[in-house]
Amino acid sequence: MKNVITLLLLIFSISILSAQESDKNLRQLPQVTVKNLSGHNINTAELSNDGKPMIISFWALWCKPCINELTTIADVYDEWTEETGVKLVAVSIDDARSTAKVAPTVNGKGWEYEVLLDANGDFKRAMNVNMIPHTFLLNGQGEIVWQHTSFSEGSELELIEMVRKLNSGLPIE
Amino acid sequence: MRRLYTLVCTFILITTGTLTAQDLLQGRVSGNFQLDAQLYQADSAIGAEDVSEAMLMNSFANINYTQGNFIAGLRFESYLNPIKGYDQRYKGTGVPFWYASWQKESFGITVGHFYEQFGSGMTLRSYEERNLGYDNAIKGARFIFRPYKGIAIKGLIGTQRFFWESGPGIVRGLDGEFAINDLLNILSTDLPRFTLGGSFVSKYEPSAKILVNSDQILILPENVAAISTRLNIHHKGFAIDGEYAHKYNDPSAINNFIYKEGRSLLLQASYSQKGFGMLLSGKVTDNMSFKSKRTERGSMLDINYLPALTRQHAYTLAAMYPYATQPNGEIALQGQVNYKISKGTLLGGKYGTDIAINFSNVTSINRDSINNETPIGKTGTLGYKTNYFDFGDELYFRDFNIEIQHKFNNEFKALVSWINMHYNIDIIEGHPGEEAVKANIFIADVTYKFSSKNALKAEVQHLATKQDEGNWMQAMAEFTFSPRWFFTLMNQYNYGNDDKDRRFHYPTVAVGYTQDSNRLSLSYGKQREGIICVGGVCRNVPASNGLSITLSSNF
């Protein structure tokens, strides 16, 4: 136990030192390996949208609000991408029980997102996601500028508003 | 413990030693926090017990530090005392999870605690689900090596988490995955893509004396190995996944201490294109429970994962009878079709209509006795004989469900669903002799937006069955004022219970506030156990009566 406490102190002191600096030092995507729907391994640190904003949304087949959110955005996704150039990456945290269902469901619903499979929750943990849906907004430099948990009708308007702010260089609250 | 600690410290010193102080200052700290508290009121009628502490609480916080390729972190957990429905052995406060890791493109090392999955998890999966109290993190060391494009080799060794301690067994594992197209430098997407993989997992547990009776003591294997091989093929809209696993003799409390070898085969094939998707899958499981402690019967110390090939339902009454894989033997089949009726057609309307049909069927495997004198499954013997795809007579679970979702206009959308289920309560919940539950469930879910950010969602669910607790009805109304507030009113009513004195109502009111990734929700009322989805978030909650508070934050 004593050892653990020493270790804790060590990590905490590093944390505190760095916390002071972190204001202008925004977090970027961690390096985790996930799969895409065509079976390729993807390093999450390399996800990008060519200098344009990117949305990363964690979801699962068993999560109704998540499906609701992605269905709602799917209806306006063409307009969003045309207007702002934004890209949505939908990260499914379904485990081995349902990973094979993700592609048929996504295509069956006609979603045009880039879909990733995080079957053992490695990416989810690295992003500190507790509950889903959990949505992150990244700026063109790949820095996480905003995040939001849960979905209710109309939340998508706040999200696209943030994207517009990013594009016009306004600060994100 | 001490040796591992020294290893971790040395590792941190070596890796941080190569960084300058300036580098260290540029690291980032991130994490999350969640607190669930519950104030209990006894309700002897519904079975909510008196809780002497009056309030119980579970909480955790993850703190991660990242600097370039170096990551370290820990998780603080506190259960004072554990909320009802969680294992009481979680009682206490501490730091059961900590790690340090160095990740580069071609290799990665982790020391401390970690989670890992080989293939579909049939030989090894270390996983956590805090909201269920499930955690079989491995404590030890792991490496990942990618010597060449298309090759990934993983190796690990460690013990598994058992509440605040480690289990008695040591788990060793090696996994290789080979993306054939990358290895041969085939870049064309017109050709099928092949990925091959294989795993070897072995557990060590010191021998122990298991007395069968006064004159028979079992000699138990100290080392038990499991191997698996897998193949994935992707070609345009087609995907085929297959994995076969074999486990050597592993007498345990779960299989009644038989010496039979175990095996499992999983095959899944899917095809999809825009607007259409289908999936067929099958799985045979035979004596595949694999734990790092022979005598463990609960859900702890699992080395592998045997996913149920059935749909995981999200609506409360549909999730009332959830299936769990029977590790000692089952044959499961599943099919699913997703179809979108196009926009602009008669049935599709302006936005299109989504249809999903899913079917699953799980039966026992056929078992024959090994000889005339030995009953099937007798302790200390080879147990039984069985062939592949030899369906048994007993139906464990069957589920046919159809779901139709349609958006009528900008204000109004609806979902209807019908589910027909057969649930073998005797086998799945271990209620010997109880008749299987045959249920029909109907769900209607409508959402009306009365302005661009404010909406009312109404949900009616009905479960009809002659078995178990009889018919149930649930009604819910939820007002959302996005992106911050929600209010929910809900009632579940067991109106069809055979026992007229047990026709209870389970009313609940809930309110929640979300700001970015911070969220506070309060709910008051009575709850059955199950997956509960309110105000935009789903999680599994235990049965209770009283006030529950959830605070969740991410930084």
Side-chain angles (χ1 to χ4, degrees), chain A residues 5-49:
Chain A
I5 291 169
T6 333
L7 181 69
L8 274 180
L9 286 174
L10 186 72
I11 294 171
F12 264 114
S13 49
I14 298 172
S15 316
I16 290 160
L17 279 172
S18 54
Q20 295 162 343
E21 278 289 304
S22 64
D23 290 22
K24 40 194 184 291
N25 187 6
L26 291 163
R27 194 153 62 100
Q28 299 198 323
L29 291 177
Q31 191 170 301
V32 178
T33 306
V34 293
K35 282 215 180 326
N36 70 8
L37 294 185
S38 51
H40 290 82
N41 283 326
I42 303 287
N43 177 355
T44 53
E46 287 167 8
L47 291 172
S48 85
N49 185 25

Side-chain angles (χ1 to χ4, degrees), chain B residues 153-326:
Chain B
I153 311 284
K154 294 179 197 172
L156 60 85
I157 182 162
T159 54
Q160 289 185 294
R161 178 172 181 188
F162 188 73
F163 303 102
W164 296 100
E165 292 156 23
S166 285
I170 302 172
V171 178
R172 288 92 34 121
L174 194 64
D175 181 80
E177 191 168 286
F178 309 91
I180 305 301
N181 301 49
D182 294 345
L183 278 170
L184 302 175
N185 231 346
I186 300 168
L187 297 171
S188 166
T189 50
D190 293 332
L191 292 167
R193 190 177 161 78
F194 291 88
T195 310
L196 275 169
S199 316
F200 174 81
V201 178
S202 154
K203 67 160 174 177
Y204 167 79
E205 190 186 348
S207 69
K209 281 181 185 166
I210 303 279
L211 277 98
V212 182
N213 51 45
S214 54
D215 58 326
Q216 198 187 358
I217 295 174
L218 299 181
I219 299 166
L220 297 163
E222 292 193 307
N223 290 289
V224 174
I227 51 170
S228 77
T229 172
R230 60 183 186 269
L231 169 68
N232 305 15
I233 307 169
H234 282 87
H235 184 53
K236 295 184 173 145
F238 288 97
I240 294 173
D241 293 299
E243 181 161 4
Y244 174 75
H246 185 95
K247 188 191 64 163
Y248 291 87
N249 68 94
D250 180 25
S252 72
I254 299 273
N255 70 14
N256 197 29
F257 290 97
I258 59 168
Y259 286 72
K260 188 183 181 302
E261 303 197 336
R263 55 192 180 173
S264 184
L265 175 70
L266 172 68
L267 282 173
Q268 313 202 73
S270 71
Y271 172 74
S272 61
Q273 60 181 60
K274 202 181 171 202
F276 175 76
M278 63 171 291
L279 168 83
L280 276 175
S281 49
K283 195 183 74 167
V284 182
T285 304
D286 173 19
N287 188 23
M288 271 308 280
S289 164
F290 195 27
K291 286 175 180 282
S292 61
K293 185 182 177 190
R294 293 178 196 105
T295 51
E296 176 64 24
R297 285 177 181 275
S299 62
M300 299 300 278
L301 299 173
D302 283 328
I303 300 173
N304 66 348
Y305 174 53
L306 301 168
L309 276 199
T310 60
R311 182 172 175 201
Q312 195 170 1
H313 289 286
Y315 287 92
T316 320
L317 293 188
M320 195 158 168
Y321 296 113
Y323 185 67
T325 297
Q326 301 303 304

Side-chain angles (χ1 to χ4, degrees), chain B residues 355-373:
Chain B
I355 299 175
I357 299 169
N358 171 281
F359 172 75
S360 58
N361 188 78
V362 190
T363 61
S364 60
I365 52 171
N366 198 19
R367 295 182 171 95
D368 291 320
S369 51
I370 46 172
N371 56 43
N372 292 337
E373 293 88 60

Side-chain angles (χ1 to χ4, degrees), chain B residues 219-527:
Chain B
I219 299 166
L220 297 163
E222 292 193 307
N223 290 289
V224 174
I227 51 170
S228 77
T229 172
R230 60 183 186 269
L231 169 68
N232 305 15
I233 307 169
H234 282 87
H235 184 53
K236 295 184 173 145
F238 288 97
I240 294 173
D241 293 299
E243 181 161 4
Y244 174 75
H246 185 95
K247 188 191 64 163
Y248 291 87
N249 68 94
D250 180 25
S252 72
I254 299 273
N255 70 14
N256 197 29
F257 290 97
I258 59 168
Y259 286 72
K260 188 183 181 302
E261 303 197 336
R263 55 192 180 173
S264 184
L265 175 70
L266 172 68
L267 282 173
Q268 313 202 73
S270 71
Y271 172 74
S272 61
Q273 60 181 60
K274 202 181 171 202
F276 175 76
M278 63 171 291
L279 168 83
L280 276 175
S281 49
K283 195 183 74 167
V284 182
T285 304
D286 173 19
N287 188 23
M288 271 308 280
S289 164
F290 195 27
K291 286 175 180 282
S292 61
K293 185 182 177 190
R294 293 178 196 105
T295 51
E296 176 64 24
R297 285 177 181 275
S299 62
M300 299 300 278
L301 299 173
D302 283 328
I303 300 173
N304 66 348
Y305 174 53
L306 301 168
L309 276 199
T310 60
R311 182 172 175 201
Q312 195 170 1
H313 289 286
Y315 287 92
T316 320
L317 293 188
M320 195 158 168
Y321 296 113
Y323 185 67
T325 297
Q326 301 303 304
N328 287 340
E330 63 167 40
I331 301 179
L333 296 170
Q334 180 173 230
Q336 180 166 314
V337 175
N338 292 79
Y339 181 66
K340 190 180 188 82
I341 303 176
S342 314
K343 295 175 185 179
T345 57
L346 181 67
L347 291 171
K350 193 180 168 194
Y351 297 92
T353 300
D354 287 349
I355 299 175
I357 299 169
N358 171 281
F359 172 75
S360 58
N361 188 78
V362 190
T363 61
S364 60
I365 52 171
N366 198 19
R367 295 182 171 95
D368 291 320
S369 51
I370 46 172
N371 56 43
N372 292 337
E373 293 88 60
T374 315
I376 290 172
K378 190 186 176 205
T379 296
T381 69
L382 284 173
Y384 55 88
K385 288 190 290 193
T386 182
N387 292 318
Y388 275 104
F389 303 107
D390 193 355
F391 290 82
D393 298 332
E394 194 165 13
L395 180 62
Y396 288 167
F397 186 78
R398 180 181 288 157
D399 178 359
F400 175 84
N401 56 79
I402 176 161
E403 190 175 281
I404 301 168
Q405 206 169 0
H406 183 71
K407 183 170 167 181
F408 291 88
N409 52 44
N410 225 350
E411 285 79 42
F412 187 64
K413 60 182 175 184
L415 177 149
V416 288
S417 177
W418 173 64
I419 298 148
N420 179 273
M421 209 178 259
H422 178 108
Y423 179 83
N424 190 330
I425 199 163
D426 171 352
I427 296 291
I428 302 165
E429 293 185 18
H431 295 173
E434 208 168 305
E435 198 183 342
V437 178
K438 295 173 202 77
N440 274 297
I441 302 148
F442 178 78
I443 294 157
D445 178 347
V446 295
T447 305
Y448 178 73
K449 279 170 84 167
F450 45 91
S451 76
S452 67
K453 292 195 168 187
N454 304 328
L456 167 65
K457 188 171 135 68
E459 211 180 273
V460 180
Q461 302 180 35
H462 186 265
L463 182 147
T465 181
K466 292 195 170 64
Q467 292 82 28
D468 199 29
E469 295 172 299
N471 294 2
W472 285 82
M473 201 161 74
Q474 175 177 316
M476 185 188 88
E478 182 172 279
F479 294 89
T480 54
F481 304 94
S482 85
R484 303 250 191 279
W485 291 95
F486 78 85
F487 300 92
T488 304
L489 291 166
M490 190 179 92
N491 188 27
Q492 261 177 36
Y493 181 26
N494 187 195
Y495 77 95
N497 201 313
D498 277 347
D499 182 348
K500 287 202 171 85
D501 296 331
R502 298 194 59 81
R503 291 180 179 171
F504 300 122
H505 287 272
Y506 294 79
T508 309
V509 290
V511 54
Y513 179 79
T514 307
Q515 190 186 26
D516 300 344
S517 60
N518 306 306
R519 182 181 169 86
L520 173 68
S521 67
L522 300 171
S523 87
Y524 180 76
K526 303 179 189 187
Q527 250 166 13

Side-chain angles (χ1 to χ4, degrees), chain B residues 3 13 32 55 86 89 106 114 143 195 198 275 533:
Chain B
R3 204 177 293 165
L13 287 174
N32 60 14
M55 190 194 95
Y86 285 74
R89 288 173 284 185
S106 59
F114 54 87
F143 74 85
T195 310
C533 299

